[in-house]
Amino acid sequence: MRRTSFKRVIIFLGLTLCYVLGEADLGLDTRKPKILDGKNVPNNPTRHAVKSIQSEDGDIIDCIDIYKQPSLDHPSLKNHIIQKSGSCPKGTIPVVRRTHNDDELLSNSRKKSPLTVHQRNHSKAILLTEGYNYAGVKADIKVWNPHVESDDEYSTSRISLRSGPWYDFESVEAGWAVNPGVYGDRQTRLFAYWTVDASKKTGCFDLTCPGFVQTSHEIALGAAIYPISVFRGLPYQITLFIFKDPNTNNLWVQYGERTNIGYWPPKLFTTLTYGAECAEWGGDVYSSKLEQVPHTETQMGNGNFPDYIDGNSGYMKRMRILDISLNLKFPEWVGTYADEYWCYQSQYVSDYVVDPEFYFGGPGRNEMCP
């Protein structure tokens, strides 16, 4: 197995800094746990690896045949023709090999544990727009590493397209997550997620089940993001864009203005195929200890309530929707929403700024949220 620079070989991301200060990397776990052979894990896509690369941070990247990725096992994608757009060789895609208990983590990823369950186990602080037909959603997302209290909890900052009622919606998401139940550690990692039934029976993270079709041979979903923003330090952010291809109806995830990671084929969905009813920006915390005492201490953003003065909280900037006429613009109407105001808050700022901004976050348990 070849050991090499992940920045040069796999990701080549260029996670842009605010104010164009430089680049960040998509790195991997710095610990050295036992590496399980992916070929011996049932339904593990890394069993098809044609090449493996170890990053300087210790994670293993397997390059698998693009036509043997798990997404193509979905019944709706039989005979699917892929829309195509150091790195993995051409014709292969990078998959982060789990370096803990692969069986358990793959299972958690598929059931979106801890992202499935009922919506009462989620606490959101979001900006949303609805009332039109949306073909895309985009934002610059500040990158933090929030505290996650338990292994079965998670915290994300993400953009999302959604259609349907709260109890049975279809949605796609992309952003960063701290999710030990899926990734086996508490690093901040790039993720994509989808569901067609409010996560009751369908959907999963990244490439851990049939659904998302990856086309990029440079970017690995599930890879760790670094550096991370720190208070009074350099502010790091990633730019993500989910958009519908008007010719194929594929829902693409684009990174950093130029790199298309892959897409969800339209056959996975019923309503999202024709456009989304709602676009969202913001944070989401999952825990079984919401709306009760004691509340979870899992943080959203960086654990601070919205701070538009110093930017010392989660934020989204350059927020855009893609309308049905393929115009990329700020939405005509937006509103803020928070499930648990005293635990996680949201703040929309449109005065005294050239482009509207959205700040969000919170510590979870505190004096007002015991």
Side-chain angles (χ1 to χ4, degrees), residues 7 37-38 72 93 107 164-165 205 214 246 263 313 321 353 361 370:
K7 179 176 180 180
D37 184 357
L72 300 182
I93 59 170
S107 175
F205 281 93
Q214 179 151 346
Y263 60 89
S313 66
I321 57 97
V353 293

Side-chain angles (χ1 to χ4, degrees), residues 80-95:
H80 179 74
I81 298 176
I82 292 178
Q83 183 180 353
K84 292 187 179 180
S85 60
S87 60
C88 281
K90 290 185 178 180
T92 68
I93 59 170
V95 177

Side-chain angles (χ1 to χ4, degrees), residues 68-125:
K68 293 182 179 179
Q69 57 183 297
S71 62
L72 300 182
D73 292 333
H74 195 284
S76 298
L77 304 183
K78 185 178 181 180
N79 300 321
H80 179 74
I81 298 176
I82 292 178
Q83 183 180 353
K84 292 187 179 180
S85 60
S87 60
C88 281
K90 290 185 178 180
T92 68
I93 59 170
V95 177
V96 178
R97 186 190 300 179
R98 307 304 171 205
T99 54
H100 301 268
N101 186 331
D102 285 44
D103 291 335
E104 179 181 353
L105 295 182
L106 281 169
S107 175
N108 286 344
S109 297
R110 291 191 178 100
K111 66 184 181 181
K112 206 182 181 184
S113 173
L115 290 183
T116 308
V117 203
H118 300 293
Q119 293 303 299
R120 62 182 176 83
N121 288 335
H122 290 258
S123 190
K124 293 182 179 181

